[in-house]
Amino acid sequence: MTDIVPQPAPVIPVRRPSAEQSATRLKSRYAVERRFKALGLGSLMLTGLFLLLLLANITLNAIPAFSEHAAVMDVTLDPAVIDPDGKKDPAILAAADYASLTRAALMTAIPGVEGRAAKKQLASVMSSGAADDLRAKVLADPSLIGKTIKFPMLLSDDADLYFKGEGVKASSRPGTGTITASDSKGQITLTSADNAFAALTDTVSKFDLEKDDGGLVLKSSMPSHLVALNGGLVKLSKISPSSATGEVLTPLTSAGPAVGSAWQFVTYGAPEGNRQVNDQAATFLEKLKASGVVQKNFNWRFFTSGDSREPELAGIRGALVGTFLTLLVTLSLCVPIGVLAAIYLEEFAPKNWLTHIIEVNINNLAAVPSIVFGLLGLAVFLNYFGLPRSAPLVGGLVLALLVLPTIIIAARAAIKSVPPSIREAAIGLGASKQQAVFHHVLPLAMPGIMTGTIIGMAHALGETAPLLMIGMIAFIVDVPKGLTDAATVLPVQIFLWSDLPEAAFQQRTAAAIVVLLAFLLLMNGAAIWLRNKFERRW
Amino acid sequence: MDMTVANRIEAERLAPVTTAAKPAKVTAKDVNVYYGEKHALKHVNVDIPDRGVMSFIGPSGCGKSTFLRCINRMNDTISSCKVTGLITIDNQDIYDPALDVVQLRARVGMVFQKPNPFPKSIYDNVAYGPRIHGLANNKSELDQIVTASLEKAGLWGEVKDRLQDSGTGLSGGQQQRLCIARAIAVNPEVILMDEPCSALDPIATAKIETLIDDLRSNYCIIIVTHSMQQAARVSQRTAFFHLGTLVEEGPTEQIFSMPHDQRTQDYITGRFG
Ligand SMILES: Nc1ncnc2c1ncn2[C@@H]1O[C@H](COP(=O)(O)OP(=O)(O)O)[C@@H](O)[C@H]1O
Ligand SMILES: [Mg+2]
């Protein structure tokens, strides 16, 4: 309105640094930047290293669990045992004593085992699952009754681990001199006139061994010493230069003398006390292996059966189905409630103190420790509403409480990120607010909502603590069939197995972790894929 | 710049002004708008004639958009916004509680500053309004509406072979014409345009201006613009806003050649704004 009168420009007092001053400043600035970069890179590499170590450790532990060993044997399906009255009635077929058949097959494969203890030992090489497999086979095809079939019989977890491990580290060296066996089986004495055992007493004398009337008593914490003679194997328990006492593991063809190269010293380098498989069982397993009947298969059982007390029979099917049912409940509750809550808060709620408090508390809920939700579930769903314990229904409800805040927050962010111009366009055309939201905003927010949902579900998938509170920790063999059946979930199954002492369960724990991680990776991958695919369409 | 268009608009502008004689389509009486405590629009009175273009000019923040958004009650979506006074369309109070705001917005279309097509197909963009208002009984009627709207918006030739392509894939100018087609598909009586060309290049701007000029024989068009040249080219009447008040309103030619108010004079000669 008034003419502009030119004014003198104000002078800003600037002190110009000298050339070397600015050079040093510049140098220190670059140095700081380099240091920062190096630190960042260092921490990144450290994290990567730990992650890699963790993954490698778990995977290495898990690998053995994905295979199982079986011995293929001739099993005679004796009609007298399976189907005495010949009617092929499934109830009778199912009730038959298949274990006696598998035991008989094993006895035929390894003949000459005598004595209760040795027979029991032999039977323990095989899993009780072998009889169940046989039953399933006969039930599926009753025409096999009366025939002799080749059947892979599952070995016990110890036998399985024996074949997966290094075995007994057997070595042998020829004997010198003459030894004479007092008997061909049982507890026997080997005597030698020319001190044939002197070499052995020298070897073992470095162990601090007890003496028993002139003989050294061998211990299970040291390598086992055996003698092979007359086609049999004797495990020594006491030796002196001129005689040795021991137990026959493999019967000799005859008692009597063996001369020079006709007999050998055998050493099992791995001490018996450190092994799950004792020397007797090891000889059985070595025999099976030598006869070529042992085969290694992929462990499908791990994915198709439920939990079991026997590690070789235990699988994650029950836990997987339980997880699926639980997450189904969670998902079907969380998505509608979460999305509707987010829409209401973002689009419809008046901006007053009440909505503000609700918003703050939703954010707070996301930070509540998960066990608290478990306690809440216990108090409300089980005690008040009387819903069944250990059920996927209750687990799903509890996890829904847990995940709901995550989904609401993600859905709100997704809805907020839809540009207001889209809403204005719809409303400007005469759409109601609800039409604008459901026709335009929601479809555009959907990828973000889905990403949030998947991440929330991945969170739920890994939860253990709240489920322990509502009893999903029970040992459950049956695969759940419905929402109210007792069930467990994968992380809880891992927790359960990790507590068990058997080495085979430790491997299964690792294998279950691998499966869980695979699912988590899959879900997170899906979330990333969705995010990239639908990013910014406007 | 398309010279023929410019010439035509220039000729139009120089023609004797007759718009004042037409009956008012939209009238505002003592309209005040508050955003919370802030008094954004003060005592605005204006009559806007049918079948013509009225432009609102003024420095930014003076309340042009605010007033424009009162006319289709878009301000209802801002919770802090309060409107007093009387605004009528065809002598009907549009703030009458008995009046359905959805019906109002079907009668008063709006085109925004930034082209905002839905991220859907071109066809669905135009068909959306007719669909929600139930203007077509079947697919072929809807097709006709879409075709006619795109034709009126001067976009048919460019998009007729790719109606199923996304509307967001068009150029800025095409997007804005798509938004105009979308607005006219519900057959409005009044079209509000809030700086429709400010995000566009000069060629696209020229096309929109030609389009506005074509549309004015059928609609009551109200356009907010930053550019005085544009106001001069497309509008028959101009209103000048300053600090929330409507300072002066009259035939465009008169506002630009002999404004009554000193503030208008200062603004159009570029002293501020
Ligand atoms: N949603 C809003 N909330 C509060 N104040 C607003 C809002 N929209 C606009 N205003 C204020 O109202 C005044 C007029 O704005 P507007 O009508 O957008 O001006 P313009 O003439 O540039 O279009 C401005 O001072 C602006 O700050
Ligand atoms: Mg504006």
Side-chain angles (χ1 to χ4, degrees):
Chain A
M1 280 175 247
T2 51
D3 285 355
I4 293 162
V5 181
Q7 299 207 333
V11 179
I12 303 168
V14 178
R15 189 184 59 81
R16 292 213 177 280
S18 69
E20 62 263 42
Q21 264 177 331
S22 49
T24 43
R25 277 178 61 86
L26 208 61
K27 232 166 95 183
S28 75
R29 231 168 65 192
Y30 282 137
V32 167
E33 199 167 316
R34 264 200 309 278
R35 267 204 301 279
F36 181 75
K37 261 192 199 164
L39 277 176
L41 197 68
S43 48
L44 200 69
M45 282 184 351
L46 202 67
T47 322
L49 189 75
F50 279 127
L51 192 69
L52 212 68
L53 274 177
L54 184 80
L55 283 181
N57 181 16
I58 290 174
T59 320
L60 283 181
N61 275 330
I63 285 172
F66 289 112
S67 60
E68 62 180 17
H69 282 90
V72 184
M73 290 177 190
D74 290 324
V75 183
T76 308
L77 299 171
D78 185 357
V81 174
I82 302 174
D83 194 16
D85 45 5
K87 286 188 191 141
K88 303 209 164 152
D89 175 2
I92 305 252
L93 296 189
D97 181 13
Y98 291 91
S100 67
L101 298 181
T102 54
R103 237 180 290 124
L106 196 60
M107 295 290 179
T108 340
I110 303 178
V113 180
E114 285 181 42
R116 258 179 67 84
K119 281 185 175 166
K120 218 173 145 194
Q121 192 67 250
L122 180 58
S124 78
V125 159
M126 198 172 54
S127 167
S128 62
D132 297 332
D133 290 349
L134 191 63
R135 171 181 298 120
K137 180 146 185 141
V138 171
L139 284 177
D141 183 7
S143 70
L144 293 173
I145 295 168
K147 294 182 185 154
T148 297
I149 57 170
K150 284 226 175 290
F151 187 70
M153 296 209 282
L154 186 68
L155 297 181
S156 73
D157 58 321
D158 289 338
D160 184 48
L161 285 181
Y162 177 83
F163 287 123
K164 283 169 184 167
E166 289 171 325
V168 288
K169 295 191 191 147
S171 60
S172 66
R173 62 199 152 90
T176 46
T178 308
I179 58 172
T180 310
S182 65
D183 197 352
S184 66
K185 56 179 191 270
Q187 235 11 72
I188 62 168
T189 310
L190 304 170
T191 47
S192 168
D194 45 9
N195 284 357
F197 299 113
L200 199 54
T201 44
D202 286 349
T203 327
V204 300
S205 63
K206 69 168 184 276
F207 294 96
D208 179 26
L209 296 177
E210 275 177 38
K211 280 207 172 131
D212 181 23
D213 45 63
L216 293 168
V217 182
L218 303 181
K219 293 192 295 194
S220 67
S221 60
M222 53 184 278
S224 304
H225 292 283
L226 304 95
V227 170
L229 79 161
N230 299 352
L233 195 63
V234 184
K235 185 195 171 185
L236 306 182
S237 54
K238 194 169 85 174
I239 49 173
S240 65
S242 60
S243 82
T245 0
E247 193 191 349
V248 175
L249 298 186
T250 311
L252 316 187
T253 44
S254 64
V259 187
S261 55
W263 66 277
Q264 284 122 32
F265 286 117
V266 177
T267 310
Y268 286 176
E272 186 178 29
N274 296 355
R275 284 184 260 128
Q276 292 296 324
V277 172
N278 64 20
D279 290 336
Q280 172 71 80
T283 56
F284 294 148
L285 293 175
E286 286 300 329
K287 259 201 181 151
L288 283 178
K289 195 174 173 182
S291 60
V293 298
V294 177
Q295 60 174 215
K296 187 177 181 178
N297 301 321
F298 184 76
N299 188 1
W300 288 111
R301 201 184 299 268
F302 184 65
F303 298 98
T304 56
S305 61
D307 198 4
S308 168
R309 291 285 182 220
E310 304 299 330
E312 76 274 11
L313 298 178
I316 54 170
R317 171 92 179 273
L320 279 181
V321 173
T323 300
F324 175 77
L325 292 174
T326 305
L327 288 190
L328 196 71
V329 173
T330 307
L331 192 72
S332 51
L333 281 173
C334 268
V335 171
I337 297 178
V339 171
L340 289 179
I343 290 176
Y344 180 74
L345 284 174
E346 258 328 296
E347 302 280 342
F348 295 98
K351 299 276 173 276
N352 57 24
W353 61 270
L354 188 66
T355 18
H356 190 67
I357 286 178
I358 291 175
E359 282 172 12
V360 168
N361 280 307
I362 287 174
N363 294 346
N364 283 343
L365 271 184
V368 168
S370 56
I371 192 131
V372 175
F373 288 102
L375 282 169
L376 187 77
L378 178 66
V380 176
F381 299 132
L382 296 191
N383 294 346
Y384 188 74
F385 287 112
L387 293 176
R389 283 177 70 82
S390 312
L393 176 65
V394 183
L397 284 168
V398 168
L399 291 182
L401 291 178
L402 185 79
V403 179
L404 206 50
T406 316
I407 292 188
I408 293 178
I409 291 170
R412 288 188 62 185
I415 290 169
K416 204 177 262 173
S417 75
V418 175
S421 65
I422 300 286
R423 294 178 186 80
E424 285 197 323
I427 287 177
L429 276 175
S432 67
K433 194 154 186 177
Q434 181 243 330
Q435 284 175 322
V437 169
F438 282 89
H439 294 171
H440 300 287
V441 177
L442 202 54
L444 291 175
M446 221 51 209
I449 293 174
M450 266 146 76
T451 308
T453 306
I454 293 173
I455 288 173
M457 284 296 124
H459 178 187
L461 175 63
E463 264 313 327
T464 324
L467 300 181
L468 303 187
M469 303 305 301
I470 53 147
M472 289 190 90
I473 187 156
F475 168 72
I476 292 148
V477 176
D478 294 325
V479 175
K481 295 199 172 52
L483 292 179
T484 49
D485 286 358
T488 191
V489 294
L490 205 45
V492 174
Q493 184 72 77
I494 290 169
F495 174 75
L496 281 169
W497 280 350
S498 71
D499 232 18
L500 297 175
E502 290 95 332
F505 268 128
Q506 295 308 314
Q507 294 172 350
R508 270 161 178 74
T509 306
I513 291 174
V514 167
V515 173
L516 183 64
L517 284 182
F519 273 112
L520 286 174
L521 278 180
L522 210 71
M523 289 173 87
N524 284 328
I528 291 170
W529 179 78
L530 269 175
R531 194 156 52 215
N532 290 342
K533 178 152 196 263
F534 293 101
E535 208 164 37
R536 293 240 151 253
R537 288 200 301 175
W538 44 85
Chain B
M1 187 78 194
D2 188 333
M3 278 317 288
T4 57
V5 173
N7 286 343
R8 191 148 52 86
I9 295 169
E10 187 66 8
E12 206 92 42
R13 197 177 67 73
L14 294 175
V17 175
T18 52
T19 46
K22 288 181 186 170
K25 178 79 180 172
V26 182
T27 56
K29 290 208 169 65
D30 197 30
V31 172
N32 287 279
V33 179
Y34 306 83
Y35 290 111
E37 290 295 291
K38 186 179 161 67
H39 198 173
L41 209 59
K42 298 162 191 161
H43 309 288
V44 171
N45 290 285
V46 68
D47 284 344
I48 300 169
D50 203 358
R51 321 268 156 190
V53 181
M54 172 137 205
S55 60
F56 292 170
I57 59 169
S60 86
C62 66
K64 307 180 294 290
S65 301
T66 300
F67 184 52
L68 197 69
R69 292 161 61 90
C70 288
I71 300 172
N72 68 345
R73 291 182 54 179
M74 278 298 269
N75 282 337
D76 289 12
T77 59
I78 301 166
S79 57
S80 69
C81 181
K82 197 166 119 262
V83 180
T84 66
L86 179 70
I87 300 177
T88 62
I89 294 178
D90 291 337
N91 296 319
Q92 186 186 19
D93 179 4
I94 61 165
Y95 280 85
D96 184 348
L99 180 128
D100 180 22
V101 70
V102 166
Q103 291 308 317
L104 172 70
R105 291 189 190 132
R107 287 169 61 197
V108 185
M110 187 156 194
V111 177
F112 298 84
Q113 183 167 356
K114 220 177 129 245
N116 57 353
F118 299 126
K120 298 177 182 243
S121 72
I122 293 169
Y123 183 94
D124 285 340
N125 260 283
V126 182
Y128 183 67
R131 274 193 188 127
I132 58 172
H133 293 296
L135 301 186
N137 287 325
N138 51 45
K139 179 83 172 78
S140 72
E141 278 184 33
L142 193 60
D143 286 348
Q144 277 172 18
I145 294 176
V146 170
T147 312
S149 306
L150 285 169
E151 267 167 358
K152 272 195 198 165
L155 198 59
W156 177 248
E158 289 156 70
V159 301
K160 65 171 184 283
D161 298 325
R162 47 175 176 142
L163 289 177
Q164 294 310 320
D165 289 7
S166 175
T168 49
L170 298 172
S171 75
Q174 287 173 325
Q175 286 189 12
Q176 196 62 298
R177 278 181 283 148
L178 178 61
C179 291
I180 293 173
R182 182 176 67 186
I184 59 187
V186 292
N187 198 18
E189 298 155 29
V190 181
I191 302 175
L192 311 175
M193 300 188 178
D194 193 349
E195 303 188 25
C197 301
S198 64
L200 305 181
D201 61 78
I203 293 175
T205 301
K207 282 193 181 151
I208 302 271
E209 285 177 2
T210 317
L211 173 59
I212 292 170
D213 204 54
D214 291 343
L215 293 174
R216 86 180 148 96
S217 52
N218 292 314
Y219 302 93
C220 166
I221 298 174
I222 308 170
I223 176 171
V224 169
T225 172
H226 240 93
S227 145
M228 279 173 281
Q229 289 80 1
Q230 185 171 61
R233 281 194 299 267
V234 301
S235 69
Q236 288 75 53
R237 291 185 80 82
T238 297
F240 171 65
F241 285 77
H242 182 50
L243 297 176
T245 51
L246 195 160
V247 174
E248 189 172 356
E249 183 268 338
T252 300
E253 187 196 7
Q254 176 247 310
I255 294 286
F256 281 99
S257 54
M258 46 186 125
H260 300 310
D261 197 286
Q262 182 62 39
R263 287 167 293 177
T264 320
Q265 175 76 44
D266 288 340
Y267 181 71
I268 61 176
T269 53
R271 299 275 176 98
F272 62 83

